[in-house]
Amino acid sequence: MRLAIPGSPGRRSAAGDDRPAAEVRSLSGAGRLLARIWRKSSVAGLAVYALALGGVLGLASADWATRGGYPFGGVQVGAWTAWPRAGSANADPYTRAVNARRGEIPLAVGEGLLLTAAVDDQGQALDATCTYRIGGGTPPARAWTLTVAGRGAREPGRPTVREGFTSTEVLRAADGRFLVVLAPEVQPGNWLPSPRDSGPVRLALRLYDTPAAASVGSLDRDSVPAITRLGCAS
């Protein structure tokens, strides 16, 4: 009777494998190499995933921050918000990004002052289905314009409508005060049509050559036009 000598070339493995030990060691080394490659590729994949996720989140946050109005630097005056630094040379990066996205050239500090309003005097959001009375006085200025901001592209088939008033064309009372009605339906006098059938509305008041641009803190609620809601369509 012959006994197999341990470690001899003719020895069978516990699993009954007839392959030489060198081949087994080669396959084992290849397996370790593949495992290292897999681990490295997993790390690289995670890095690519993290970079892609960061890029998507960064673009989404930038889009959110520049989609509406200016995110920083506003001074509240009643229902209006004044933006004294929107056109300054040291405006923050978000303000410059908003200007670039809109394709607008903002008023410089020496040229005028921009005020915007997205709520009425009661703090309720302006709605295109509602009727508002906008009137009173404005801060001292050589000229001013009152417009609906953010109208977007005109709806196909919708007739061209007025988008705002200037200080030279608005109808005034005997004391020089004015009254503009923002409404979806035709109104007598200074009628400013709603920009769409429904949805939010934002107003923009631009004061040209005004001392208020250098002293926004001196403005109070009575120095800007009042915004009063008269009613809403059911």
Side-chain angles (χ1 to χ4, degrees):
M1 181 178 62
R2 292 189 303 174
L3 298 176
I5 301 175
S8 63
R11 179 178 60 89
R12 290 173 177 265
S13 64
D17 193 353
D18 291 332
R19 290 175 297 179
E23 183 179 353
V24 173
R25 287 195 297 270
S26 176
L27 292 175
S28 177
R32 288 195 296 271
L33 177 61
L34 289 175
R36 285 197 298 269
I37 294 175
W38 172 258
R39 286 195 295 270
K40 290 181 179 180
S41 64
S42 298
V43 172
L46 288 175
V48 172
Y49 173 78
L51 290 174
L53 181 61
V56 170
L57 292 177
L59 291 174
S61 62
D63 176 74
W64 175 82
T66 60
R67 181 180 300 175
Y70 300 115
F72 308 110
V75 178
Q76 200 68 32
V77 185
W80 299 85
T81 303
W83 306 97
R85 312 302 298 178
S88 64
N90 59 348
D92 62 86
Y94 287 97
T95 297
R96 294 197 295 268
V98 171
N99 291 332
R101 180 167 182 169
R102 292 178 178 174
E104 296 180 355
I105 300 177
L107 294 173
V109 176
E111 295 176 333
L113 178 65
L114 168 67
L115 298 95
T116 61
V119 298
D120 58 22
D121 286 349
Q122 301 302 317
Q124 295 179 306
L126 300 181
D127 194 302
T129 62
C130 300
T131 300
Y132 299 92
R133 183 176 62 231
I134 308 164
T138 61
R142 185 180 298 276
W144 55 261
T145 61
L146 176 64
T147 60
V148 176
R151 282 181 173 269
R154 188 166 63 89
E155 297 178 6
R158 187 184 183 96
T160 303
V161 295
R162 175 185 287 274
E163 297 184 357
F165 284 95
T166 67
S167 55
T168 58
E169 64 181 354
V170 67
L171 299 177
R172 298 176 182 268
D175 59 358
R177 300 173 74 83
F178 69 91
L179 181 65
V180 174
V181 177
L182 172 66
E185 302 296 335
V186 178
Q187 302 289 326
N190 300 314
W191 173 49
L192 186 58
S194 298
R196 58 188 66 86
D197 294 334
S198 62
V201 177
R202 185 163 54 91
L203 297 172
L205 176 64
R206 292 177 173 85
L207 308 174
Y208 298 91
D209 194 11
T210 172
S215 57
V216 177
S218 64
L219 298 177
D220 56 25
R221 191 186 187 98
D222 296 331
S223 62
V224 294
I227 305 176
T228 306
R229 176 182 287 192
L230 302 180
C232 298
S234 57

